[in-house]
Amino acid sequence: MSAAGFASTPKPPYYAVIFSSQRTEGDNGYGAAADRMAELAAQQPGFLGMESTRGADGFGITVAYFDTEENIRAWKRNMEHAAARQKGREVWYAHYEIRIARVERAYNFKAPQID
Amino acid sequence: MSAAGFASTPKPPYYAVIFSSQRTEGDNGYGAAADRMAELAAQQPGFLGMESTRGADGFGITVAYFDTEENIRAWKRNMEHAAARQKGREVWYAHYEIRIARVERAYNFKAPQID
């Protein structure tokens, strides 16, 4: 989850998994596991991209994009992902909220490049 | 937008505005304007809450929750908000992506409090 940056998503509709979380103190293997989960998510059918950031206060938001709700459910059933979520509840997170949402419309802005 | 923390949202369905952004260098009045926009958003009809964070690399995600798409459109038409967005494109943001999504389901986790 170290990759800062934007997901290149197709035209809507598609789905977003909005994961807001408050980390506990200390790394406790979190960084390596988060990187592994980002890698594993990217291999899932229907994965469209991910955006993730966390402030110095330990509050973070990750949004993963998928083509269908069924592919989100399949990712939830992935055994390695399920084991990581279990460890997340035991060790890494004080609190999290997960929201599954259907992206209806999207637009963007990029500043002109000045050389 | 300094408030770290979770939005207390009702049972789905409701709507999310997912705003991913890369800041330019320097504050240039951004911090005060972001605080003002968070205050103004919270006064809008149908506003349900907001979650926001930004990493040291300047990449941030803010998710604002509203009850209906119509109330999101009304917030977009707010004149002070429109002026802030214009300044955002001119000064504060190198790139942003906005996605309007309908939250279909949600669940959460809170660690037991240990005293």
Side-chain angles (χ1 to χ4, degrees):
Chain A
M1 231 90 82
S2 54
F6 295 93
S8 291
T9 43
K11 282 189 188 299
Y14 53 86
Y15 284 83
V17 182
I18 306 167
F19 178 75
S20 308
S21 63
Q22 181 64 51
R23 286 270 286 111
T24 51
E25 296 284 318
D27 184 69
N28 301 311
Y30 170 79
D35 287 347
R36 170 62 185 153
M37 281 307 110
E39 178 185 81
L40 192 63
Q43 297 167 6
Q44 300 309 303
F47 176 84
L48 300 175
M50 185 182 287
E51 297 173 340
S52 189
T53 186
R54 189 173 302 281
D57 58 1
F59 184 78
I61 302 176
T62 295
V63 190
Y65 301 99
F66 285 85
D67 59 351
T68 64
E69 280 200 279
E70 177 48 38
N71 277 328
I72 291 171
R73 285 192 207 95
W75 168 227
K76 190 176 178 184
R77 287 193 300 267
N78 177 286
M79 296 290 283
E80 191 177 341
H81 183 205
R85 290 203 309 279
Q86 178 64 27
K87 185 141 183 202
R89 288 186 292 270
E90 290 171 1
V91 179
W92 297 318
Y93 297 116
H95 180 175
Y96 64 69
E97 302 279 336
I98 296 177
R99 297 172 175 99
I100 316 296
R102 181 179 191 269
V103 179
E104 310 274 1
R105 53 200 170 88
Y107 47 99
N108 71 5
F109 164 78
K110 291 181 195 180
Q113 294 291 317
I114 299 164
D115 293 324
Chain B
M1 229 89 84
S2 55
F6 295 92
S8 290
T9 44
K11 284 191 187 298
Y14 52 88
Y15 285 83
V17 181
I18 307 166
F19 178 75
S20 308
S21 64
Q22 181 65 50
R23 286 270 287 110
T24 51
E25 296 283 319
D27 184 68
N28 301 311
Y30 170 79
D35 287 346
R36 171 62 186 151
M37 281 305 110
E39 177 185 82
L40 193 63
Q43 296 167 7
Q44 300 309 302
F47 177 85
L48 300 176
M50 185 182 288
E51 297 173 340
S52 189
T53 185
R54 189 173 302 280
D57 58 2
F59 184 79
I61 302 175
T62 295
V63 189
Y65 302 99
F66 285 84
D67 60 351
T68 63
E69 280 200 281
E70 177 48 36
N71 277 328
I72 291 172
R73 285 192 208 96
W75 168 227
K76 190 176 178 184
R77 288 193 299 266
N78 177 285
M79 296 291 283
E80 191 176 342
H81 183 206
R85 290 203 309 281
Q86 177 64 27
K87 183 139 184 204
R89 288 186 292 271
E90 291 171 1
V91 179
W92 297 318
Y93 297 116
H95 179 176
Y96 64 69
E97 303 279 336
I98 296 177
R99 296 173 175 98
I100 315 297
R102 182 181 192 268
V103 178
E104 310 274 2
R105 53 201 170 86
Y107 48 97
N108 71 5
F109 163 78
K110 291 181 197 181
Q113 296 290 318
I114 298 163
D115 291 322

